[in-house]
Each structure stands twice: as structure tokens, then as C-alpha cells.
Amino acid sequence: MQNAEDAVRDHAREVAPWINRLARLGFFAKAVLYATVGVLASAAALRLGGSPATGSLGAMATLVAAPFGRVLLWTIALGLFGYAAWRVIYAIVDPERKGRDAKGIVLRVSSLVTAGIHVALGVSALKLALGDHTAAQDGRASQQWTARVLTTPGGELVLWGIAAGFVAYGAYQVWRAWRAKLDRGLALGHISPTARRALIHTSRLGIAARGIVFGTVGVLLGRAALHHDPRHARGTKQALGTLFDLGRGPFIVVAVGLIAYGLYQLINARYRRIEVA
């Protein structure tokens, strides 16, 4: 195992400049998607048109219809694949030396899961860029895999576990938004203290909003497990719709927070310290 890690680390050093660029492009891609979701949600909440319940795939469908939309979707797909590659290398090589204890293992496994999610998003972006508009059906994939889980032995317990994981992750993100020292992973040395505080406060709002959305996804998955009905599980689209039903005012805060999360991803694209090997 150690020899395999060393071999991957050696190869990672060779391609480090490319992985660095692709990871930054990935942060840019995430920025565009989250900002688009936030803008669409904000517009709906302010009664300017559109639906408040639009996830990442719906955002892609909106972008592909814009001028040069297909070029933008190709760029987003490349960025998402690049980001996934960085997360895989991070999980294998452990460049920040998180170790092999329980915390280190959890971080490396979560990095692999994150890579898988971004590969799936990248594939959807490619399909949309190639004209397959069925790829933009927000929530369909969530319903399909939830239905599969519920039909397997012990599937209901598995779904409860996944739901709990989403809720725990969402709660952690909200905690991280207010407690974590976000500037540790950012190279902000040459930025004025005032600008740095503004960037960090914006990042905190964005992380908290995303945490609330993920926590709501977990609640909906729990509802699907409780009623044994996959129709309750539709990802971020239904999560935003559920939050909208709770009140227009709080929903606007979440929607603006998603725009802030897009800005946070732009900050990462520019200032993130990206360790490869």
C-alpha cells in the first residue's frame, strides 16, 4: 500500500502544475453553478420570475441556453473533472499529512466521495453541451437511486444512514461557517485586512447557506425512508422548494447565501493553497 502511495505521489509531482490549474478551473466551475442557483432562487423569491427550486442541473440548463452556453458547459465539465482528479490524488497521496487515524480516514474517504459527485456533475454538463437535455432533469437521479436502495434488503436502514450523513454534514458546514479559520487554506497575505475580513465574512455566509441546503436534503431523504417513498428524495431542487415553503424572508437569505458560496468558490479559485504531493 505504501509503495502504491509513493508511486502515485511521484506521478502527482510530475503533473502537479496541470492538476493545480484544473483544480482552480474546478473551483471556477462550482462558482458559476452555485451563483446561478442562487441568482435564480433570489429572482423567484423576489417575484421576478422563475422557480425557487433549481439545483445544479437546472443551473446548467439555464447556462447552456445563454450566449456561448455550450462553450461554458464544456469549460465547466473540464473544471469539474479536474477538481475530481485533484480530490482523488488528495485522498491517495494525503499531501496535508492528515494521517491514518479515524479523522484522517474520514477525510480521505470524503474526498473520494466528493470526486465521484463531481464526476457525475461533469458527465451531466457534457451531455447538456452535446444537446442531451434530459440530463438537466433535477432530482430524477436522486429518486432513481433512492428507489434502488429501498428495494434492497436492509435498504431502509441504509437510507436512514445516508439521510443522517447529509444532516450531519449540513450541521458541520454551519458550524464550520462560524468557527473554522477559513483563511488557513487561503494565500491572502498581500490582501488588506479590510478586504480579507470581507472575503471571510462572505465565505462564512455561503458555507452556512450550503450547509442548510444539504441538511434539508438529509431531512427529505429521512422522509423518503419513513414513508418508503422515493418521491420525497429529489436532491437540492426539492430541498430549495421545501425551504421556500418555510417563508420567503428566510429563503432569500439562503438564496443570497448560495450566491455568496459561489463567490467563496471564486476566492478558492484564486487564493486556495492546492497541495498535490
Side-chain angles (χ1 to χ4, degrees):
M1 178 65 180
Q2 190 62 44
N3 290 335
E5 287 187 12
D6 291 339
V8 172
R9 185 175 288 111
D10 290 340
H11 288 300
R13 290 193 186 99
E14 295 175 5
V15 299
W18 284 103
I19 294 297
N20 187 296
R21 295 186 187 98
L22 288 173
R24 294 189 189 282
L25 183 60
F27 281 119
F28 169 78
K30 293 173 66 178
V32 173
L33 291 178
Y34 274 99
T36 302
V37 170
V39 167
L40 293 174
S42 299
L46 295 171
R47 298 186 175 91
L48 299 177
S51 169
T54 302
S56 297
L57 299 182
M60 290 181 188
T62 300
L63 292 170
V64 78
F68 305 104
R70 292 189 185 278
V71 175
L72 181 57
L73 260 292
W74 279 104
T75 304
I76 287 174
L78 178 62
L80 292 172
F81 290 139
Y83 183 86
W86 172 51
R87 299 313 300 177
V88 170
I89 291 174
Y90 182 95
I92 297 173
V93 175
D94 189 21
E96 296 180 6
R97 303 299 185 266
K98 298 297 185 180
R100 298 177 181 274
D101 58 7
K103 181 180 178 181
I105 292 173
V106 168
L107 288 173
R108 295 170 82 168
V109 170
S110 67
S111 189
L112 287 174
V113 172
T114 299
I117 292 172
H118 285 83
V119 166
L121 283 174
V123 169
S124 295
L126 277 181
K127 288 181 177 179
L128 273 168
L130 293 171
D132 182 3
H133 295 284
T134 61
Q137 295 180 12
D138 267 321
R140 185 181 64 171
S142 298
Q143 284 185 315
Q144 289 176 341
W145 72 255
T146 300
R148 289 195 201 98
V149 169
L150 287 173
T151 56
T152 60
E156 189 172 314
L157 287 176
V158 171
L159 191 57
W160 275 115
I162 296 172
F166 268 96
V167 172
Y169 180 76
Y172 167 72
Q173 289 298 301
V174 172
W175 174 87
R176 177 172 172 260
W178 303 115
R179 299 293 295 175
K181 295 181 178 179
L182 300 179
D183 54 351
R184 281 183 175 175
L186 301 172
L188 301 176
H190 63 288
I191 296 179
S192 69
T194 300
R196 179 182 299 191
R197 283 193 295 270
L199 291 177
I200 295 301
H201 288 323
T202 298
S203 300
R204 292 190 190 283
L205 174 60
I207 293 170
R210 182 172 176 265
I212 291 170
V213 173
F214 270 80
T216 306
V217 170
V219 171
L220 294 174
L221 286 173
R223 188 182 298 173
L226 179 64
H227 297 286
H228 208 81
D229 185 352
R231 289 177 297 178
H232 289 288
R234 293 181 62 188
T236 56
K237 177 180 179 179
Q238 187 170 349
L240 287 170
T242 300
L243 291 169
F244 182 76
D245 292 338
L246 295 178
R248 193 177 299 273
F251 180 78
I252 290 176
V253 174
V254 173
V256 172
L258 292 176
I259 298 174
Y261 190 79
L263 293 175
Y264 172 55
Q265 294 305 299
L266 279 181
I267 294 168
N268 276 304
R270 174 63 180 84
Y271 298 110
R272 179 69 178 261
R273 294 188 181 96
I274 297 177
E275 301 289 341
V276 177

